[in-house]
Amino acid sequence: MLAASVVALAAAFVTLPAGTAGAAQNIVRADKSVQRSCFAKVLPKGTAGTDRRELTSSVDGLVQARLKPASGTEGDWDVAVFDKTTGAVVAASTALRTHELAESFVKKGQQLVVQGCRYGGSADRAQLGVDFLALTPQGTPTTAQKAQLVRVETPTRADKNKLTALGLDVTEKADATGIEVVLADDADRQVLKNSGFKSKVLEADLSAKSVQDAKTDRQYAAKTAASALPSGRTSYRHLYDYNYELKELARKNPGLVSAFTMPESTWEGRDVVGVEIATDVKNITDGKPVNFTMGVHHAREWPAAEHVIEWAYELVNGYSRDPAIRSLVGKTRNIIVPIINTDGFEISREAEPKGDFTRFDYEMKRKNCNVNDSPPQYATGVCKANPGGRVRGTDPNRNYAGFWGGAGAELAWSGDTFRGSAPFSEPEVRNVRSIVSSRQVTNLMTMHTVAALVLRPPGVADVRPPLEEPAYKALGDKLASRNGYTSQPSWALYDTTGSTEDWSYWATGGWGFTIEVGGNGFHGPYADSVVAEYEGLAPAAGAGKGGNRQAFLDQLGSAADPQQHSTLIGSAPKGYQLKLHKTFQTPTSPVIQPDGSTKPPIYVTDDLNSKLTTTGGRFAWSVNPSTRPYVAGRYGRDPQGPAQQGQPVTNPAGVPPINQNYPADPAGDSFTFHVNGLPQVDNGKFSVNINWASTATDWDLFIYDAAGNLVSSSANGGTTTEHAVLFDPPAGDYRAVVVNYDQADPATVDDWSGDVSFASPIPPTYGPKEAYQLTCTSPKGQLVGVADVYADRGQTVDVGEVCTRSAHAQKQRASGGVR
């Protein structure tokens, strides 16, 4: 849905009246820094550490207040905009440097106070700029259209791929037989109708739901002094809350927490802020395993950020109160970035009033703010007010190099899963790449909403699982046992390419997961989507099991376990630096083109560089396995016997009557079949296949195990065949139900016939060993030693006296170590 209003005019710069603490226009000054919130309230004129300006809005539209360094000294200045009459905060920005953007909606004639606050650093001044941008309707205002949530039946992989290629807002909530989709307007509804897919409306009016959720949140916050969360929070944070709380955690816990700014700012110029938590936190080259937790690749998924920042509080609080957490923190380093896509989140979070999708649908924004791929007519205006609405930008979680360009991502700029112009084209994605490439990230977690899933690679079914699938699955299953979610490979949701862990894992070997937080809606009621899901309280699926809190602790326990990564040991004098280096190229998918054809894969170069600084004597360095999973091979099973013989099936006498309860009760023709197991046969999969004569008849197929669980299905429209497949089927009895979907007169439908067929497992494949290059340099930068290192998961490799070798020593290779 494209917005009906755009920015018509922007005043290039507003000349500011000088304040009492600043003699020059557009410069705010403070003689001292004061560590306090700039957005909590308007502070009296002359308050230490602050400067202010008073302005009157000249437009109905947006106000933008920016801070930049006024000299060569960076410092840390924050900015906040208040309504002068009520004292309510209008907008604020609280990043770690003096690169701030506070932006929100204002009315013409509204009196404002712009407050600059010196939080820290030596810079006693900052440059303040304020813009007002008018929003003027373009053309005839459109009639408000209801945004809806529907479930689309996609019983086959081909159906899922077809649906994700339609350009609709496909959510991450899906299962074997269907996917939930947001229909923004009548145009989306027409696209779905024309596609021939069957669908059911789950939420008839998302706007109304948003309004009700906001009301529920206000009521919860009003009656709850403190929640069960580590921070006690009772409501969704704003971007300025996140950044302020992160730097306060660092200020109050200087030996344990360090706040940092990621290397690249966003398209709108915002900083991306995170914290690192570890004992002796400043010593980032101490060799401990790194656990990286992040949230909000997708703007509207607010609970993802809430869970991630609560994890930071969990570690800080637990370090002083919980011996188990203290032990885990002592063994690891934790990098925590609550919001990767800060532009998109700020737009979605500040969309007001909540649920008003008539002018702008920004509350449902998923993507970032990249304007470069939009056509010229949609590339005007700032991201918060542009004719492209929420759809302008790139989906960051389709922009990583892992299998980029393949199925499961949109080719068009207006698609909600638009992959971007090239792998790693987005600064937000390059930020994550910089951490994974420079630190030994042994464990990675990226948080999303709202499917209640624990996902692992691969994102594409045809890739086949990595050789480590059994251990990888075991860890995913353990996490899911805590939050009550479903543990599965990402492709079981639907094919996705360009996702975070599908790059990080295949490139580095570090375990990577996506957790889709459960709940009701992308940012459903806070008490449910955040408090209950994090803590494992009713009504969450993880109630009584530990919730995402315990899943996070299990992930940290994996990072701390030497059997879950590799370890290099050796000896070196104090101050010597070891460096692990690897450069390689990995192909993307064959790149799908708009006409459906493909071009050859793009070869993406990755450069991994990590360091350890020795303290003298023996050292231990936790690293990822040297052989990348991409080249190691694929998981499979050598057949232990022949596949089972198939059997024909035929339509029983008569046709099932019309079933008024379908699809809730898919009663119809049924037949049973038995699946044998070892030692008689070894079945890699079975397929139940039926066919009939004419598309005028529409049969659907459902497969149940002996306990009555639906294990597979096939329910296409406009075909004369159905195929329901189950991989590695357990031995036992199964029942197939064939349903008269159209509820047509039994006298008019075709009979069906078919078979049950079986296939053997696919054997595993193995790839070549691959090495890190290990170098050692003296404190003066002199190369002392060099070696090639091979290490498998769970293996400890003694690199010997590499830091005392001659710089001219020959590199020597050895499988499983270094000589």
Side-chain angles (χ1 to χ4, degrees), residues 34 36-45 47-52 78-84 86-92 94 113-117 240-241 244:
V34 181
R36 63 173 166 231
S37 169
C38 194
F39 57 83
K41 62 181 179 180
V42 179
L43 296 168
K45 291 181 180 180
T47 299
T50 68
D51 197 358
R52 59 188 283 183
D78 297 336
V79 67
V81 181
F82 298 89
D83 181 275
K84 183 178 179 180
T86 66
V89 63
V90 173
T94 61
V113 176
V114 180
Q115 182 167 275
C117 303
Y240 52 80
D241 289 313
Y244 179 71

Side-chain angles (χ1 to χ4, degrees), residues 297-354:
H297 275 76
H298 295 150
R300 63 195 176 193
E301 299 174 2
W302 309 348
E306 294 290 335
H307 283 244
V308 173
I309 196 171
E310 291 300 332
W311 175 234
Y313 278 99
E314 188 80 60
L315 295 179
V316 171
N317 295 348
Y319 187 77
S320 61
R321 305 172 188 170
D322 186 324
I325 292 178
R326 185 182 183 89
S327 175
L328 288 173
V329 171
K331 297 174 182 177
T332 59
R333 303 191 69 87
N334 285 271
I335 298 175
I336 297 173
V337 183
I339 303 172
I340 296 298
N341 178 8
T342 54
D343 285 348
F345 171 78
E346 202 274 343
I347 288 167
S348 173
R349 181 67 183 90
E350 304 307 323
E352 291 291 354
K354 299 298 176 217

Side-chain angles (χ1 to χ4, degrees), residues 348-540:
S348 173
R349 181 67 183 90
E350 304 307 323
E352 291 291 354
K354 299 298 176 217
D356 180 6
F357 299 162
T358 57
R359 287 177 55 199
F360 302 108
D361 53 354
Y362 296 130
E363 189 183 335
M364 298 300 289
K365 185 173 179 63
R366 173 187 174 103
K367 302 192 289 182
N368 72 0
C369 283
N370 184 358
V371 69
N372 293 335
D373 297 304
S374 306
Q377 64 269 35
Y378 298 118
T380 61
V382 299
C383 198
K384 188 173 280 187
N386 75 92
R390 65 175 174 81
V391 298
R392 190 167 87 178
T394 296
D395 182 343
N397 204 41
R398 298 295 184 273
N399 190 243
Y400 293 85
F403 309 114
W404 183 91
E410 271 294 304
L411 284 62
W413 74 275
S414 57
D416 277 279
T417 59
F418 176 52
R419 67 194 186 191
S421 57
F424 294 120
S425 63
E426 307 309 303
E428 298 89 349
V429 175
R430 293 194 297 270
N431 277 333
V432 175
R433 184 192 197 186
S434 71
I435 289 178
V436 174
S437 298
S438 63
R439 308 289 297 275
Q440 289 290 337
V441 176
T442 63
N443 292 70
L444 178 149
M445 185 79 74
T446 173
M447 302 297 292
H448 290 253
T449 65
V450 61
L453 296 170
V454 177
L455 301 174
R456 65 184 185 276
V460 180
D462 292 343
V463 170
R464 292 177 55 200
L467 284 173
E468 296 180 304
E469 165 67 4
Y472 211 159
K473 179 180 184 299
L475 180 54
D477 290 351
K478 184 177 183 180
L479 304 182
S481 73
R482 305 300 194 176
N483 51 30
Y485 301 166
T486 299
S487 169
Q488 63 186 35
S490 294
W491 61 259
L493 181 67
Y494 46 75
D495 277 353
T496 55
T497 50
S499 62
T500 312
E501 69 275 18
D502 240 5
W503 166 74
S504 66
Y505 171 67
W506 296 101
T508 73
W511 295 133
F513 292 96
T514 286
I515 285 187
E516 290 272 350
V517 178
N520 181 15
F522 296 111
H523 42 266
Y526 191 85
D528 295 341
S529 296
V530 180
V531 180
E533 294 291 338
Y534 182 88
E535 291 290 340
L537 305 173

Side-chain angles (χ1 to χ4, degrees), residues 39-84:
F39 57 83
K41 62 181 179 180
V42 179
L43 296 168
K45 291 181 180 180
T47 299
T50 68
D51 197 358
R52 59 188 283 183
R53 301 289 185 270
E54 295 186 9
L55 301 170
T56 300
S57 172
S58 58
V59 302
D60 285 327
L62 292 174
V63 61
Q64 290 184 328
R66 293 181 182 269
L67 283 182
K68 297 180 180 180
S71 63
T73 305
E74 177 67 59
D76 181 0
W77 280 77
D78 297 336
V79 67
V81 181
F82 298 89
D83 181 275
K84 183 178 179 180

Side-chain angles (χ1 to χ4, degrees), residues 231 380 618:
S231 71
T380 61
R618 300 292 291 174

